[in-house]
Amino acid sequence: MTMIAESLAGLVFIPLGMPLLVLLLPGRARGYLCFAAVLALPLCLLPLTQEVWSGNEITLALAEFHPPLGIVWYLDGLALIMLWLTAIVAVPVSLHALTSFPPNEESGRGFWPLWMMLLAGINALFLSADLFNLYVTLEMITLAGVAMIGIGGKALALKAAMRYLLLGLLASVLYLLAVGLIYGQTGALDIYLVGERLETGHLASTALVLMMTGLLVKSAIFPMHVWLPAAHGNAPGPVSAILSGLVVKVSLYMLIRIWFWIAGDWELPAAATALGLLGAGAILYGSVAALVQPRLKMVIAYSTVAQLGYVMILFPLASVGAFRAASYQLLAHGLAKAAMFLAAANILKSLGTDRLNALTDLDRKMPVDLFAFTLAAVSIMGLPPSGGFLAKWLLLEAAWKQDAWGWLVLVSVGSLLSAAYLFRVIALTCFHPGRRHGPTRWQPPPSSATNAALILALLAIAAGFTSAPVLDLIDASLPPGGIWP
Amino acid sequence: MTEVVFVLAASLVFGIGVWGLLIAEHLLRKLLALNVMSSSVFVIMLVAAGGNASPDPVAQALILTGIVIAVAATAFALALMISIYRETGRASITDEDDDDR
């Protein structure tokens, strides 16, 4: 049992200590030390996985103070999956960052401490089951994420960062207001206690609406997605991968937690349908916008808007099948999108541009990066065998079982649209009639950067074969009430 | 009775904050508006947890943490605003040249 507490602490405090430690060290050692810290995260997860796997949920009352006064860390299957996603994405991204943010240069000095702070925030958030603790960790994540967008110091990125920050702070204020209202009524902040004590009524509904609105803004769900494409599309290389792969997942995870763990047994079919319709809007608008973007990174950023929409279909369906599908979509999209953004970062850095019409003979110049991009695209489109296929298949199955034809059609149309905007990129790079006329001056990316993208892309495909253990974990952590079999 | 006054005042202040955030063009004004909004939220939290009648230490700890976070976020946002001003010569983000380049 002692190992468990230490592993939990390690997940948060190893990355949290790094920014301070790094300040004491000379430039070159910083990156490698932080990389070692990232490699320690999967090791911390191993004893926890063993414990959760044997059917126990892990609870740790910090400093032995129990709720309602104290703060408790919970770890169940869903949180464990998200922690694994974070650790698995963090390793290749850090490998990429060792070359794209050299630790002894100006950009590296900014990147590594912020990246460690972000990781500490993400890990702490997945362990928290306390509404206020979730708020604090979400703020940590937002501030670190915004700062990372601005590392390059380019005007476009800075403006996008500012827009993200303003909306993020507005969302936080709404969330905090809801926390205050809920605390006033229940005298508790622990999610499980609040779920028991909070009674339906005007106050509770107001709090729920405020909280959901804040989190929808942070997860960039249509029509609150306005900040995302510019922020993710203009952020420097690996930062886009981190933001699209991990950061937006965090607030979606909170959305699911709060809806099903606190309001799970309230009868809210209209609100659930509304959330699903927002998801539908995200899928359709994001896909169509991705179709017309002139720059590769903007295509990928709008694709994120669309792919997040699939998770929202969980709310109207609210079945075990949909719950599995949404969790798997979070996992599969995180891997595939991080791979895509890393490949796009290599392309942008090598050619000096990511305008699609400059990519016409990419298959000759950077075959491995293009291969990584295409593998990730297979998962995003939902072609078998890949993680994305499994997630969409589970979603179709869940909709089929409930005779929810509208959602069924939506998922199918969304997949077709994602195939359209991704094949547009692939066709331009491999089959364009005017090809062999791309920029003549280019530099191959460092091989470790290419490998990082390739590793993530292969993992995105491999996620199609690991369904059994993941789905078992999800089934072991279904919400306490309000989900149909 | 005092609670009603507090809630009304806080709602008014919150509304002023939202209005400022939407209307203002200069980033400094937007940030001030956000700070005004968070102040009103702190007042509401204080009242919701019992107000003057029975002070609640947990609520006050939450508000204190909230203030610290608001200060940190504001400091960071100001730094970001200054970099934007240095890059573009303007401290606003309402613009035309967004998407592509």
Side-chain angles (χ1 to χ4, degrees):
Chain A
M1 197 60 203
T2 46
M3 269 306 276
I4 299 279
E6 281 147 17
S7 307
L8 284 173
L11 279 178
V12 176
F13 290 103
I14 292 176
L16 193 61
M18 282 300 140
L20 297 173
L21 201 57
V22 149
L23 290 177
L24 304 173
L25 288 172
R28 184 163 284 279
R30 292 177 180 175
Y32 295 106
L33 184 69
C34 292
F35 190 57
V38 170
L39 288 178
L41 296 182
L43 296 181
C44 289
L45 279 172
L46 284 178
L48 302 176
T49 309
Q50 203 179 14
E51 183 72 12
V52 175
W53 191 251
S54 51
N56 306 321
E57 289 180 5
I58 299 173
T59 312
L60 181 74
L62 297 182
E64 305 287 322
F65 284 114
H66 290 273
L69 188 62
I71 295 168
V72 173
W73 279 356
Y74 282 103
L75 182 65
D76 61 2
L78 182 61
L80 186 71
I81 291 169
M82 300 307 290
L83 285 170
W84 268 113
L85 171 69
T86 310
I88 291 174
V89 170
V91 174
V93 166
S94 303
L95 184 67
H96 191 281
L98 279 177
T99 57
S100 45
F101 289 117
N104 46 356
E105 281 177 20
E106 179 64 31
S107 61
R109 270 200 287 278
F111 174 79
W112 289 98
L114 287 170
W115 172 217
M116 290 298 115
M117 213 175 98
L118 185 78
L119 269 179
I122 293 177
N123 282 343
L125 187 137
F126 288 138
L127 291 173
S128 303
D130 175 289
L131 289 175
F132 193 74
N133 225 13
L134 287 170
Y135 163 74
V136 174
T137 46
L138 192 63
E139 283 301 274
M140 249 174 100
I141 294 168
T142 307
L143 289 183
V146 171
M148 284 164 88
I149 297 173
I151 285 177
K154 281 187 295 191
L156 266 179
L158 288 173
K159 281 188 199 169
M162 184 51 114
R163 199 164 291 143
Y164 179 17
L165 180 64
L166 286 176
L167 279 170
L169 289 178
L170 175 66
S172 306
V173 169
L174 296 180
Y175 180 86
L176 189 62
L177 180 56
V179 172
L181 294 178
I182 288 178
Y183 181 76
Q185 203 201 354
T186 62
L189 291 165
D190 183 84
I191 281 194
Y192 292 84
L193 272 183
V194 169
E196 282 168 25
R197 291 190 192 170
L198 192 63
E199 285 168 18
T200 48
H202 288 305
L203 193 87
S205 315
T206 313
L208 189 68
V209 168
L210 286 170
M211 223 170 227
M212 296 302 274
T213 312
L215 291 174
L216 286 171
V217 172
K218 290 229 182 198
S219 349
I221 298 300
F222 178 87
M224 280 81 95
H225 66 280
V226 284
W227 59 268
L228 185 140
H232 290 196
N234 292 312
V239 176
S240 306
I242 294 165
L243 292 176
S244 253
L246 299 177
V247 171
V248 282
K249 305 293 179 309
V250 162
S251 37
L252 267 178
Y253 164 87
M254 273 176 73
L255 214 56
I256 294 174
R257 275 280 180 209
I258 285 168
W259 183 265
F260 287 105
W261 267 257
I262 291 181
D265 47 1
W266 305 1
E267 296 284 321
L268 298 167
T273 310
L275 287 172
L277 287 175
L278 293 184
I283 294 175
L284 298 175
Y285 176 82
S287 303
V288 172
L291 259 176
V292 298
Q293 292 304 311
R295 283 174 46 206
L296 179 60
K297 283 185 80 169
M298 293 306 278
V299 173
I300 308 178
Y302 272 105
S303 156
T304 297
V305 173
Q307 294 294 315
L308 296 177
Y310 290 102
V311 179
M312 302 301 290
I313 300 177
L314 164 64
F315 294 101
L317 291 180
S319 65
V320 174
F323 197 72
R324 290 167 139 200
S327 315
Y328 219 86
Q329 170 72 3
L330 289 177
L331 184 71
H333 177 255
L335 293 169
K337 197 46 69 77
M340 256 187 181
F341 263 125
L342 287 189
N346 292 343
I347 294 169
L348 172 62
K349 200 169 181 200
S350 294
L351 303 182
T353 174
D354 64 339
R355 285 193 158 278
L356 288 175
N357 54 20
L359 306 184
T360 46
D361 53 351
L362 205 63
D363 54 338
R364 189 168 55 85
K365 289 175 183 158
M366 308 173 65
V368 184
D369 293 283
L370 188 62
F371 180 58
F373 179 87
T374 315
L375 278 186
V378 164
S379 179
I380 298 279
M381 284 184 245
L383 298 179
S386 66
F389 164 71
L390 209 66
K392 272 156 211 166
W393 181 256
L394 288 168
L395 198 54
L396 286 175
E397 200 179 50
W400 178 274
K401 269 192 192 156
Q402 292 173 38
D403 299 334
W405 307 117
W407 301 122
L408 196 90
V409 171
L410 175 71
V411 174
S412 322
V413 170
S415 289
L416 281 177
L417 282 171
S418 63
Y421 64 72
L422 288 169
F423 272 121
R424 170 171 170 252
V425 175
I426 296 169
L428 266 173
T429 50
C430 300
F431 307 111
H432 193 264
R435 61 204 233 98
R436 312 279 178 246
H437 295 294
T440 46
R441 293 163 58 84
W442 58 284
Q443 250 185 340
S447 60
S448 65
T450 301
N451 288 339
L454 190 61
I455 293 169
L456 269 173
L458 290 172
L459 285 170
I461 298 291
F465 299 100
T466 56
S467 57
V470 176
L471 292 180
D472 283 348
L473 278 176
I474 295 170
D475 286 345
S477 59
L478 292 175
I483 223 161
W484 302 318
Chain B
M1 186 56 211
T2 47
E3 271 133 39
V4 178
V5 176
F6 274 125
V7 169
L8 282 179
S11 311
L12 186 68
V13 173
F14 190 85
I16 293 172
V18 174
W19 188 71
L21 189 64
L22 292 177
I23 296 297
E25 199 170 300
H26 198 285
L27 285 173
L28 189 59
R29 284 172 186 263
K30 279 192 192 287
L31 290 175
L32 286 175
L34 268 170
N35 274 284
V36 167
M37 276 173 79
S38 34
S39 306
S40 74
V41 169
F42 298 144
V43 173
I44 291 178
M45 286 174 79
L46 209 56
V47 178
N52 262 341
S54 54
D56 182 340
V58 175
Q60 300 193 1
L62 300 187
I63 293 166
L64 207 56
T65 316
I67 291 174
V68 171
I69 292 179
V71 169
T74 308
F76 170 63
L78 289 174
L80 191 59
M81 182 187 87
I82 291 171
S83 346
I84 290 180
Y85 179 73
R86 286 204 180 125
E87 279 291 317
T88 65
R90 290 186 309 143
S92 67
I93 47 171
T94 48
D95 56 9
E96 48 309 315
D97 55 350
D98 233 19
D99 238 353
D100 51 354
R101 154 203 40 150

mmCIF file of all heavy atoms in Angstrom, chain A residues 266-287:
data_model
loop_
_atom_site.group_PDB
_atom_site.id
_atom_site.type_symbol
_atom_site.label_atom_id
_atom_site.label_comp_id
_atom_site.label_asym_id
_atom_site.label_seq_id
_atom_site.Cartn_x
_atom_site.Cartn_y
_atom_site.Cartn_z
ATOM 1 N N TRP A 266 -30.298 12.821 -12.357
ATOM 2 C CA TRP A 266 -31.334 13.811 -12.633
ATOM 3 C C TRP A 266 -31.914 13.493 -14.005
ATOM 4 O O TRP A 266 -31.224 13.011 -14.881
ATOM 5 C CB TRP A 266 -30.764 15.230 -12.669
ATOM 6 C CG TRP A 266 -30.019 15.617 -11.436
ATOM 7 C CD1 TRP A 266 -29.799 14.847 -10.336
ATOM 8 C CD2 TRP A 266 -29.388 16.868 -11.190
ATOM 9 N NE1 TRP A 266 -29.070 15.540 -9.419
ATOM 10 C CE2 TRP A 266 -28.803 16.780 -9.909
ATOM 11 C CE3 TRP A 266 -29.260 18.054 -11.918
ATOM 12 C CZ2 TRP A 266 -28.101 17.828 -9.346
ATOM 13 C CZ3 TRP A 266 -28.553 19.094 -11.361
ATOM 14 C CH2 TRP A 266 -27.985 18.991 -10.075
ATOM 15 N N GLU A 267 -33.193 13.814 -14.165
ATOM 16 C CA GLU A 267 -33.804 13.568 -15.478
ATOM 17 C C GLU A 267 -33.607 14.800 -16.348
ATOM 18 O O GLU A 267 -34.318 15.788 -16.206
ATOM 19 C CB GLU A 267 -35.298 13.265 -15.310
ATOM 20 C CG GLU A 267 -35.573 12.002 -14.525
ATOM 21 C CD GLU A 267 -35.331 10.752 -15.359
ATOM 22 O OE1 GLU A 267 -35.672 10.791 -16.553
ATOM 23 O OE2 GLU A 267 -34.803 9.774 -14.824
ATOM 24 N N LEU A 268 -32.640 14.753 -17.242
ATOM 25 C CA LEU A 268 -32.338 15.950 -18.034
ATOM 26 C C LEU A 268 -32.252 15.617 -19.527
ATOM 27 O O LEU A 268 -31.250 15.903 -20.172
ATOM 28 C CB LEU A 268 -31.010 16.566 -17.596
ATOM 29 C CG LEU A 268 -30.911 17.058 -16.159
ATOM 30 C CD1 LEU A 268 -29.479 17.330 -15.793
ATOM 31 C CD2 LEU A 268 -31.747 18.304 -15.981
ATOM 32 N N PRO A 269 -33.306 14.990 -20.093
ATOM 33 C CA PRO A 269 -33.168 14.570 -21.496
ATOM 34 C C PRO A 269 -32.976 15.751 -22.453
ATOM 35 O O PRO A 269 -32.204 15.658 -23.395
ATOM 36 C CB PRO A 269 -34.481 13.842 -21.786
ATOM 37 C CG PRO A 269 -35.424 14.321 -20.746
ATOM 38 C CD PRO A 269 -34.609 14.664 -19.544
ATOM 39 N N ALA A 270 -33.651 16.881 -22.183
ATOM 40 C CA ALA A 270 -33.546 18.008 -23.106
ATOM 41 C C ALA A 270 -32.129 18.569 -23.107
ATOM 42 O O ALA A 270 -31.546 18.822 -24.167
ATOM 43 C CB ALA A 270 -34.547 19.100 -22.721
ATOM 44 N N ALA A 271 -31.567 18.724 -21.893
ATOM 45 C CA ALA A 271 -30.213 19.259 -21.808
ATOM 46 C C ALA A 271 -29.227 18.295 -22.461
ATOM 47 O O ALA A 271 -28.294 18.720 -23.153
ATOM 48 C CB ALA A 271 -29.834 19.495 -20.351
ATOM 49 N N ALA A 272 -29.442 16.985 -22.255
ATOM 50 C CA ALA A 272 -28.527 16.006 -22.851
ATOM 51 C C ALA A 272 -28.589 16.080 -24.369
ATOM 52 O O ALA A 272 -27.562 16.030 -25.053
ATOM 53 C CB ALA A 272 -28.885 14.604 -22.365
ATOM 54 N N THR A 273 -29.824 16.203 -24.910
ATOM 55 C CA THR A 273 -29.951 16.319 -26.355
ATOM 56 C C THR A 273 -29.261 17.577 -26.855
ATOM 57 O O THR A 273 -28.592 17.564 -27.895
ATOM 58 C CB THR A 273 -31.439 16.356 -26.765
ATOM 59 O OG1 THR A 273 -32.085 15.267 -26.116
ATOM 60 C CG2 THR A 273 -31.595 16.238 -28.252
ATOM 61 N N ALA A 274 -29.405 18.670 -26.083
ATOM 62 C CA ALA A 274 -28.755 19.916 -26.495
ATOM 63 C C ALA A 274 -27.245 19.723 -26.571
ATOM 64 O O ALA A 274 -26.600 20.165 -27.536
ATOM 65 C CB ALA A 274 -29.100 21.032 -25.513
ATOM 66 N N LEU A 275 -26.674 19.039 -25.580
ATOM 67 C CA LEU A 275 -25.225 18.792 -25.616
ATOM 68 C C LEU A 275 -24.857 17.955 -26.840
ATOM 69 O O LEU A 275 -23.853 18.208 -27.509
ATOM 70 C CB LEU A 275 -24.780 18.078 -24.334
ATOM 71 C CG LEU A 275 -24.762 18.937 -23.071
ATOM 72 C CD1 LEU A 275 -24.494 18.078 -21.849
ATOM 73 C CD2 LEU A 275 -23.704 20.016 -23.186
ATOM 74 N N GLY A 276 -25.697 16.957 -27.138
ATOM 75 C CA GLY A 276 -25.442 16.140 -28.319
ATOM 76 C C GLY A 276 -25.497 16.961 -29.591
ATOM 77 O O GLY A 276 -24.684 16.782 -30.502
ATOM 78 N N LEU A 277 -26.460 17.914 -29.643
ATOM 79 C CA LEU A 277 -26.577 18.749 -30.842
ATOM 80 C C LEU A 277 -25.359 19.649 -31.000
ATOM 81 O O LEU A 277 -24.909 19.907 -32.124
ATOM 82 C CB LEU A 277 -27.854 19.582 -30.787
ATOM 83 C CG LEU A 277 -29.132 18.773 -31.010
ATOM 84 C CD1 LEU A 277 -30.370 19.647 -30.828
ATOM 85 C CD2 LEU A 277 -29.135 18.146 -32.409
ATOM 86 N N LEU A 278 -24.815 20.133 -29.867
ATOM 87 C CA LEU A 278 -23.562 20.897 -29.952
ATOM 88 C C LEU A 278 -22.480 20.024 -30.585
ATOM 89 O O LEU A 278 -21.705 20.481 -31.431
ATOM 90 C CB LEU A 278 -23.108 21.354 -28.567
ATOM 91 C CG LEU A 278 -23.956 22.386 -27.844
ATOM 92 C CD1 LEU A 278 -23.298 22.779 -26.539
ATOM 93 C CD2 LEU A 278 -24.146 23.604 -28.719
ATOM 94 N N GLY A 279 -22.447 18.744 -30.166
ATOM 95 C CA GLY A 279 -21.482 17.815 -30.754
ATOM 96 C C GLY A 279 -21.713 17.670 -32.248
ATOM 97 O O GLY A 279 -20.769 17.673 -33.041
ATOM 98 N N ALA A 280 -22.994 17.578 -32.652
ATOM 99 C CA ALA A 280 -23.308 17.460 -34.076
ATOM 100 C C ALA A 280 -22.804 18.691 -34.826
ATOM 101 O O ALA A 280 -22.193 18.586 -35.891
ATOM 102 C CB ALA A 280 -24.820 17.300 -34.260
ATOM 103 N N GLY A 281 -23.058 19.868 -34.238
ATOM 104 C CA GLY A 281 -22.572 21.102 -34.856
ATOM 105 C C GLY A 281 -21.062 21.078 -34.990
ATOM 106 O O GLY A 281 -20.509 21.465 -36.029
ATOM 107 N N ALA A 282 -20.385 20.591 -33.947
ATOM 108 C CA ALA A 282 -18.921 20.536 -33.979
ATOM 109 C C ALA A 282 -18.449 19.637 -35.109
ATOM 110 O O ALA A 282 -17.553 19.997 -35.870
ATOM 111 C CB ALA A 282 -18.390 20.031 -32.643
ATOM 112 N N ILE A 283 -19.076 18.456 -35.236
ATOM 113 C CA ILE A 283 -18.636 17.501 -36.262
ATOM 114 C C ILE A 283 -18.816 18.107 -37.650
ATOM 115 O O ILE A 283 -17.897 18.112 -38.470
ATOM 116 C CB ILE A 283 -19.433 16.182 -36.145
ATOM 117 C CG1 ILE A 283 -19.093 15.489 -34.828
ATOM 118 C CG2 ILE A 283 -19.137 15.272 -37.315
ATOM 119 C CD1 ILE A 283 -19.909 14.251 -34.570
ATOM 120 N N LEU A 284 -20.019 18.668 -37.894
ATOM 121 C CA LEU A 284 -20.297 19.158 -39.245
ATOM 122 C C LEU A 284 -19.481 20.409 -39.547
ATOM 123 O O LEU A 284 -18.786 20.487 -40.561
ATOM 124 C CB LEU A 284 -21.798 19.440 -39.400
ATOM 125 C CG LEU A 284 -22.666 18.191 -39.235
ATOM 126 C CD1 LEU A 284 -24.143 18.548 -39.281
ATOM 127 C CD2 LEU A 284 -22.331 17.157 -40.299
ATOM 128 N N TYR A 285 -19.520 21.394 -38.634
ATOM 129 C CA TYR A 285 -18.816 22.647 -38.902
ATOM 130 C C TYR A 285 -17.305 22.430 -38.968
ATOM 131 O O TYR A 285 -16.635 22.895 -39.896
ATOM 132 C CB TYR A 285 -19.145 23.684 -37.832
ATOM 133 C CG TYR A 285 -18.365 24.954 -38.025
ATOM 134 C CD1 TYR A 285 -18.797 25.920 -38.927
ATOM 135 C CD2 TYR A 285 -17.176 25.163 -37.348
ATOM 136 C CE1 TYR A 285 -18.063 27.058 -39.132
ATOM 137 C CE2 TYR A 285 -16.431 26.305 -37.554
ATOM 138 C CZ TYR A 285 -16.880 27.260 -38.445
ATOM 139 O OH TYR A 285 -16.148 28.379 -38.664
ATOM 140 N N GLY A 286 -16.769 21.677 -37.988
ATOM 141 C CA GLY A 286 -15.321 21.452 -37.948
ATOM 142 C C GLY A 286 -14.834 20.759 -39.213
ATOM 143 O O GLY A 286 -13.806 21.135 -39.783
ATOM 144 N N SER A 287 -15.594 19.756 -39.675
ATOM 145 C CA SER A 287 -15.158 19.011 -40.851
ATOM 146 C C SER A 287 -15.190 19.885 -42.094
ATOM 147 O O SER A 287 -14.254 19.888 -42.895
ATOM 148 C CB SER A 287 -16.048 17.789 -41.073
ATOM 149 O OG SER A 287 -16.041 16.981 -39.933
#
